[in-house]
Amino acid sequence: MNRLNYYGKYSVPETVRQLWEFEEELRQDGYSLDLDLGLIMTKEDIRYMSTPPDVIPFASCGVDGIHYGFLTDFGMVPDLEQAYIVSVSPMNFDQEVWLVAPNIHDFLRVVYTENSMLYNYFSGVEQYISHQRHREQEEIEERIVRAKHKLQQRFSLEPMADMGDYLVRLEQKRQAEAVFPTRYLSGIIQTSSACEHQRLMIVALKDGPDPEDVEFFFMNASVESRLAFIRDAQSKHLLDRPQLRKCVIKGMVDMGLADEAERLNRSYDYQEQTIEISDKNEITSIIWYTDDSTNV
């Protein structure tokens, strides 16, 4: 299986396919990728309202809706094997999305070494150290140790020497690549040749900007500015408003982000409607989901 529909233009990465195979190998030996390693692999688009539209989920931990996905940076990543991995925690309202690895190989190194950062957000190394210091020491079951050893052997993993240092280097790497800050995920990477970026203020507005203001902004702001608005508006739950969400999705399609627009639609899976958006010479049909029982 080289493709899944929700991966859009991307093929399923080789490492993900190897994890599917590894899952079967573990079962045959009496182990579980889920129970012993905390990974539930998925072939479905497990997506919540807090899942960014440029994140493609590949696994979950089975608790509180927490899931892990590839950050495509709105389709700029050429190869998902090299894409950042993020954790999405819908119940962690202060920080619903954060980076956990620069690529899927290092993600597996985290799983192998110490995986608390996959379901806990740490704002810095001090918070991580404090968490570890106050964490109850649990005796690791022998079967988990053996399952981890099988994971290490299968994917040639080296343990993280210092998880605190790893957290610092991960954040520094992302910040060095980002050109425009956002609330989550340390900003937007360079997408266009624009050097100046604008921000449509949303913090001071309880319900967010009017759709007309967003439409004007999308017509005049840099690509990076528009992507930053999409990220921040979603993280502030402003896209719960059907009219505003409709405007943003049309803007995304006009930018050539049809895959991301469709994913954003799927994040709001209440009442299904169909919206047809004209994109130059063709009509793009998108499945629209809204929590509004009235017409929009």
Side-chain angles (χ1 to χ4, degrees):
M1 182 182 294
N2 292 324
R3 289 192 177 276
L4 294 174
N5 288 337
Y6 69 92
Y7 272 68
K9 69 178 183 180
Y10 292 102
S11 297
V12 176
E14 175 64 21
T15 301
V16 169
R17 292 195 286 112
Q18 289 181 11
L19 281 166
W20 294 342
E21 295 172 359
F22 179 62
E23 185 173 29
E24 293 302 317
E25 294 170 8
L26 282 179
R27 288 176 180 172
Q28 292 175 10
D29 292 338
Y31 297 95
S32 168
L33 194 60
D34 173 9
L35 299 177
D36 297 323
L37 295 174
L39 280 183
I40 303 174
M41 300 300 296
T42 181
K43 296 180 182 179
E44 298 180 356
D45 192 13
I46 48 175
R47 184 171 295 276
Y48 288 74
M49 287 186 289
S50 53
T51 308
D54 58 334
V55 167
I56 301 174
F58 66 88
S60 71
C61 75
V63 178
D64 292 337
I66 298 173
H67 54 286
Y68 314 117
F70 298 99
L71 177 65
T72 73
D73 277 314
F74 292 95
M76 291 295 292
V77 173
D79 181 3
L80 291 186
E81 290 283 351
Q82 301 306 318
Y84 281 95
I85 306 299
V86 305
S87 180
V88 182
S89 180
M91 301 301 293
N92 188 357
F93 301 116
D94 292 330
Q95 185 81 24
E96 294 171 293
V97 189
W98 64 91
L99 297 174
V100 294
N103 53 62
I104 192 168
H105 182 77
D106 276 3
F107 172 81
L108 294 180
R109 291 179 66 200
V110 172
V111 173
Y112 173 62
T113 305
E114 202 285 300
N115 67 354
S116 62
M117 68 173 293
L118 299 184
Y119 46 86
N120 292 291
Y121 171 71
F122 301 111
S123 60
V125 62
E126 295 81 7
Q127 188 178 12
Y128 172 78
I129 293 173
S130 176
H131 171 83
Q132 294 301 100
R133 184 183 299 122
H134 294 92
R135 188 180 182 184
E136 292 185 12
Q137 295 298 320
E138 300 177 357
E139 184 176 350
I140 302 178
E141 296 181 25
E142 181 63 25
R143 62 175 294 114
I144 295 178
V145 174
R146 292 178 180 176
K148 282 191 172 186
H149 179 70
K150 289 178 179 292
L151 178 73
Q152 188 270 331
Q153 293 293 310
R154 183 68 158 77
F155 293 93
S156 302
L157 304 175
E158 291 292 332
M160 297 291 184
D162 186 329
M163 289 298 295
D165 179 64
Y166 168 77
L167 282 169
V168 171
R169 288 185 290 107
L170 176 64
E171 184 64 22
Q172 289 176 341
K173 180 179 186 298
R174 180 64 181 184
Q175 287 183 353
E177 297 169 352
V179 297
F180 198 48
T182 54
R183 185 180 180 215
Y184 293 157
L185 301 178
S186 301
I188 302 297
I189 66 171
Q190 188 74 41
T191 303
S192 71
S193 59
C195 298
E196 296 184 3
H197 310 295
Q198 310 82 39
R199 191 175 299 279
L200 182 60
M201 297 304 295
I202 61 176
V203 177
L205 302 172
K206 179 180 178 182
D207 296 323
D210 292 330
E212 294 79 7
D213 294 331
V214 173
E215 184 176 355
F216 181 81
F217 182 76
F218 269 59
M219 291 174 57
N220 295 278
S222 69
V223 173
E224 291 83 357
S225 301
R226 286 174 269 167
L227 297 180
F229 171 77
I230 294 167
R231 223 189 262 306
D232 287 343
Q234 183 188 32
S235 72
K236 289 288 188 179
H237 297 282
L238 299 182
L239 300 186
D240 294 1
R241 293 173 54 196
Q243 288 282 14
L244 183 58
R245 189 162 72 246
K246 176 181 178 180
C247 177
V248 168
I249 286 176
K250 183 183 184 306
M252 292 172 71
V253 172
D254 290 342
M255 294 169 66
L257 300 175
D259 286 347
E260 290 78 9
E262 187 174 353
R263 292 190 197 113
L264 185 61
N265 265 327
R266 288 199 297 265
S267 294
Y268 298 82
D269 57 350
Y270 298 104
Q271 179 186 343
E272 181 177 318
Q273 297 180 0
T274 299
I275 291 183
E276 292 188 343
I277 303 175
S278 177
D279 183 13
K280 296 184 179 179
N281 296 326
E282 63 180 346
I283 298 295
T284 301
S285 294
I286 294 180
I287 300 301
W288 174 261
Y289 299 92
T290 176
D291 51 1
D292 190 355
S293 59
T294 62
N295 293 329
V296 295

